[in-house]
Amino acid sequence: MKREYFVFFMTLVVGVALFSGTSFAEGRGVLANESVGARPSVLGEAYVAVADDANALRWNPAGIPLLLQTEFTASHINLFSLGGFADYSSESGSINQDFIGVAIPNKTVPFGLSFMSLGTSMPYADENGAILESNGYSERMFTLSLAKKLMSGSFGVSSGINANYLYIDGGENYSSFGLDAGLLLITPGILPDFGFVFKGLSGGSSAKMDFGLSFNPIRPFRLVGGISKVVDSSTLQYSTGAEYLIRYVSPLNVSLFAGFKGLGGIEIGSLKSSANNLSMGVSVRFARYKIDYAYEKHSELENTHRVTFSSFIDSPESFHLKAGRRAFEELNDDKAMQEANEVIYLSPRNPEAFHLIALSYERMRQKAKAIEILEKIGKMDKGYYQKNNLKQLIQDIKEQD
């Protein structure tokens, strides 16, 4: 049943992509394709192959089923540092973009809801600087995201679709509905993951295709690359980026990321670059709260600062630890150890995770390994060792037949 349901969902996504009318591409808005989220904006188009947080709602809805748990995100961007960072006044001339969303990766139909707002004002002043009038422009987009994945071992494919309602106020009001569709190919080990998104789902001039790949030569380190192209245009936007997770800044999880984005055209089989920019950022997570910051350098305009706040129901460490304990109670020692090792990857000195692995080894009758890990906990966290009476547990294991 699960496979048949996924095939139906994939057919829906592909069918919509093939048979959507041009009305879906019309009126998408001047800035509707502007990126959201601090971290994805640095990694660029390649993020469609990453899509591992709630920003997948806008970048690639196929990533929603791959999230561990429900996630909320909110972003603010002041493009080109015009006006104040969060100045929404009609006299500022600033371009502000705000995004909020919640992604819910439930087992039946993973889905998400999001809202994006982008607006600017264009003040006119006299020779003394007095504001004579101010003309504004704004876009509001409401999105429902639906997705489904199918896994076979370590391989998998996920598909997703966005149903968008866009309202534009720029002197004359305009509204339209649109659809985006995305695919994500998940591969095991160090093989790259691939992502593809079609925005606009039409042959119209506003339709846009994003393709990316993500490659982890070692687990804390990620390399990405991507290409974006507007249909019926020779212009390409391309990006490369890298990300590294620093795991030893307890109790924080810190990631550093940097990217390069270029804009060019295809002329007689060659790529001509006409504009490019560098960006970099940092992600800091404490327990179930995360803040991302990105700095984007522009060649002519002022630089852009982006901030994203995210929260989870549980911290990733707590999520994996609970999953490991459930597996242990269900007598699934391999799964329990797998989840415990995920905790250790994120928090290398977590005594509860080591304790769970030791208990699994004990039940698997691998006494030497269980004792070795319990003794390691004693050296690493004496308070936990004493509180849980692990010295007595070691003695009990030694006395087992």
Side-chain angles (χ1 to χ4, degrees):
M1 176 63 73
K2 182 178 179 181
R3 184 180 298 272
E4 286 77 2
Y5 183 83
F6 178 80
V7 171
F8 169 78
F9 191 84
M10 284 285 292
T11 303
L12 174 64
V13 171
V14 175
V16 168
L18 291 175
F19 298 108
S20 290
T22 57
S23 60
F24 287 124
E26 295 171 355
R28 286 182 58 81
V30 176
L31 300 173
N33 286 323
E34 173 61 27
S35 59
V36 302
R39 175 171 165 256
S41 69
V42 171
L43 300 180
E45 291 71 26
Y47 187 76
V48 300
V50 180
D52 61 356
D53 61 22
N55 290 298
L57 293 167
R58 284 304 312 153
W59 286 85
N60 188 353
I64 298 173
L66 306 179
L67 304 183
L68 291 176
Q69 56 183 314
T70 297
E71 182 177 342
F72 168 83
T73 188
S75 296
H76 175 73
I77 304 167
N78 174 238
L79 292 168
F80 314 121
S81 298
L82 298 174
F85 179 70
D87 188 350
Y88 294 87
S89 66
S90 59
E91 296 81 16
S92 68
S94 60
I95 305 176
N96 293 298
Q97 183 197 71
D98 296 286
F99 176 78
I100 59 173
V102 58
I104 304 174
N106 64 65
K107 293 182 179 180
T108 306
V109 181
F111 73 98
L113 298 170
S114 61
F115 169 72
M116 184 174 70
S117 169
L118 193 149
T120 184
S121 59
M122 294 167 280
Y124 295 92
D126 61 20
E127 58 186 10
N128 297 318
I131 303 297
L132 300 177
E133 62 176 320
S134 179
N135 297 324
Y137 174 87
S138 65
E139 298 180 9
R140 307 286 185 269
M141 182 179 287
F142 299 87
T143 301
L144 169 65
S145 303
L146 300 172
K148 195 66 178 176
K149 71 174 180 179
L150 180 66
M151 299 296 296
S152 177
S154 298
F155 285 93
V157 61
S158 181
S159 61
I161 192 166
N162 279 348
N164 307 305
Y165 171 74
L166 176 66
Y167 177 80
I168 299 175
D169 182 2
E172 294 184 3
N173 298 339
Y174 181 85
S175 63
S176 69
F177 290 92
L179 293 172
D180 307 327
L183 293 172
L184 193 58
L185 177 64
I186 307 106
T187 59
I190 64 171
L191 295 175
D193 295 335
F194 298 90
F196 175 77
V197 174
F198 200 119
K199 296 182 178 180
L201 294 177
S202 161
S205 60
S206 295
K208 181 172 176 282
M209 297 180 292
D210 296 334
F211 173 80
L213 61 86
S214 172
F215 171 61
N216 291 79
I218 56 174
R219 187 169 182 188
F221 183 58
R222 184 197 306 271
L223 293 171
V224 298
I227 295 176
S228 177
K229 185 180 184 299
V230 175
V231 175
D232 296 333
S233 171
S234 62
T235 300
L236 289 174
Q237 183 165 317
Y238 49 93
S239 63
T240 59
E243 180 179 33
Y244 186 77
L245 171 64
I246 304 173
R247 299 181 295 154
Y248 301 98
V249 194
S250 182
L252 305 177
N253 272 115
V254 179
S255 295
L256 303 176
F257 40 89
F260 171 86
K261 288 184 284 188
L263 186 67
I266 302 175
E267 297 181 8
I268 317 178
S270 63
L271 180 64
K272 303 290 185 179
S273 179
S274 58
N276 57 71
N277 68 287
L278 293 169
S279 54
M280 62 190 68
V282 60
S283 175
V284 179
R285 181 178 61 81
F286 174 73
R288 61 190 189 95
Y289 302 102
K290 183 164 73 82
I291 294 179
D292 300 337
Y293 166 77
Y295 169 83
E296 187 172 345
K297 182 176 176 58
H298 305 288
S299 57
E300 297 182 6
L301 297 171
E302 293 294 324
N303 302 323
T304 294
H305 303 271
R306 304 171 186 258
V307 176
T308 299
F309 169 79
S310 303
S311 65
F312 316 89
I313 294 178
D314 288 315
S315 70
E317 294 89 346
S318 178
F319 177 89
H320 285 296
L321 195 59
K322 289 178 180 179
R325 287 170 175 164
R326 286 195 300 269
F328 183 80
E329 292 172 358
E330 295 168 358
L331 306 181
N332 189 342
D333 292 315
D334 289 336
K335 176 66 173 176
M337 294 173 69
Q338 178 184 343
E339 295 291 347
N341 279 315
E342 286 295 321
V343 178
I344 294 170
Y345 172 75
L346 296 169
S347 180
R349 298 180 63 85
N350 188 300
E352 294 177 279
F354 283 104
H355 191 177
L356 181 58
I357 291 176
L359 293 176
S360 298
Y361 274 133
E362 178 193 10
R363 191 159 62 189
M364 295 166 67
R365 309 299 293 174
Q366 299 185 39
K367 297 193 295 182
K369 289 185 177 180
I371 292 171
E372 179 184 354
I373 292 175
L374 291 171
E375 291 176 341
K376 181 177 181 178
I377 296 174
K379 298 175 182 178
M380 182 174 59
D381 192 328
K382 292 183 179 180
Y384 183 91
Y385 183 83
Q386 295 171 354
K387 180 180 178 180
N388 291 273
N389 200 17
L390 298 187
K391 183 177 181 179
Q392 182 60 50
L393 177 58
I394 291 174
Q395 186 62 36
D396 292 343
I397 293 175
K398 289 180 177 179
E399 294 176 355
Q400 292 175 4
D401 295 333

